[in-house]
């Protein structure tokens, strides 16, 4: 298996996941300022024997993805910025924070569904790329076992 080919497959997969995650943010109605949307990135890194695909986003992406359990106040400054973006009076920031404290925030998953949807695509990319070489490699393994 050529590691350049593997890099290319992971690169295509990363781009696909980011595209789907952005589509999910739009479907979920999770775009206020566009900051989270614009912050979604991926990177393929590592050496030829150990390539890793990683994703990054704004720190608050976890609260959008997984929600927030009740029992803890969110940073009031973050709520105030959100109010400003939405055209909501600043005086509403504390009542909103209190509601989050009491009830939490409902999850609006966007990244995990994008990754899950891309698993089939990953399998297809590997199959398309290596469908001819897999039987050859298996035969080499079998030949080595028989000797």
């Amino acid at each position: 298996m050529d590691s350049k080919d593997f890099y290319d497959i992971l690169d295509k997969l990363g781009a696909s996941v980011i595209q789907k995650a952005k589509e999910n943010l739009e479907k979920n109605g999770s775009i206020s300022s566009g900051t989270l949307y614009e912050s979604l990135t991926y990177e393929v890194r590592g050496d030829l024997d150990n390539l890793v695909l990683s994703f990054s986003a704004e720190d608050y992406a976890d609260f959008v993805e997984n929600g927030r359990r009740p029992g803890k106040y969110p940073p009031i400054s973050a709520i105030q910025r959100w109010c400003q973006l939405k055209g909501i009076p600043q005086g509403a920031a504390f009542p909103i924070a209190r509601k989050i404290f009491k009830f939490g925030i409902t999850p609006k998953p966007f990244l995990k569904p994008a990754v899950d949807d891309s698993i089939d695509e990953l399998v297809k990319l590997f199959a398309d790329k290596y469908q001819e070489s897999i039987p050859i490699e298996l035969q080499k393994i079998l030949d080595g076992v028989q000797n």
Side-chain angles (χ1 to χ4, degrees):
M1 180 182 296
D2 183 355
S3 55
K4 173 68 172 119
D5 292 335
F6 188 56
Y7 176 93
D8 291 342
I9 288 171
L10 289 179
D11 190 54
K12 286 179 186 175
L13 179 66
S16 175
V17 168
I18 294 298
Q19 177 187 346
K20 290 175 183 179
K22 287 181 174 184
E23 290 169 3
N24 290 339
L25 283 172
E26 290 172 354
K27 288 179 199 170
N28 288 348
S30 299
I31 299 176
S32 289
S33 67
T35 303
L36 177 58
Y37 183 96
E38 292 300 324
S39 74
L40 292 173
T41 59
Y42 74 95
E43 178 183 20
V44 180
R45 65 178 186 273
D47 57 32
L48 298 177
D49 295 328
N50 190 23
L51 290 173
V52 175
L53 173 61
S54 62
F55 299 96
S56 62
E58 285 288 326
D59 290 340
Y60 65 89
D62 185 51
F63 295 117
V64 175
E65 179 80 16
N66 300 307
R68 182 183 183 118
R69 294 170 46 157
K72 185 176 179 186
Y73 278 95
I76 196 74
S77 60
I79 302 298
Q80 288 171 331
R81 280 192 306 274
W82 181 81
C83 286
Q84 185 176 14
L85 289 168
K86 293 290 196 175
I88 298 170
Q90 292 292 309
F94 183 74
I96 291 169
R98 185 175 48 228
K99 183 177 180 187
I100 293 170
F101 173 81
K102 287 183 178 181
F103 302 105
I105 298 174
T106 303
K108 293 186 176 180
F110 63 95
L111 187 58
K112 184 177 183 324
V115 171
D116 292 346
D117 289 348
S118 297
I119 296 299
D120 290 339
E121 184 178 340
L122 175 64
V123 170
K124 184 178 180 339
L125 286 169
F126 271 106
D128 289 349
K129 186 68 180 173
Y130 296 108
Q131 67 183 349
E132 292 177 13
S133 64
I134 290 173
I136 294 168
E137 293 300 318
L138 286 174
Q139 188 60 52
K140 286 180 187 177
I141 293 169
L142 290 174
D143 290 347
V145 170
Q146 292 173 354
N147 291 332

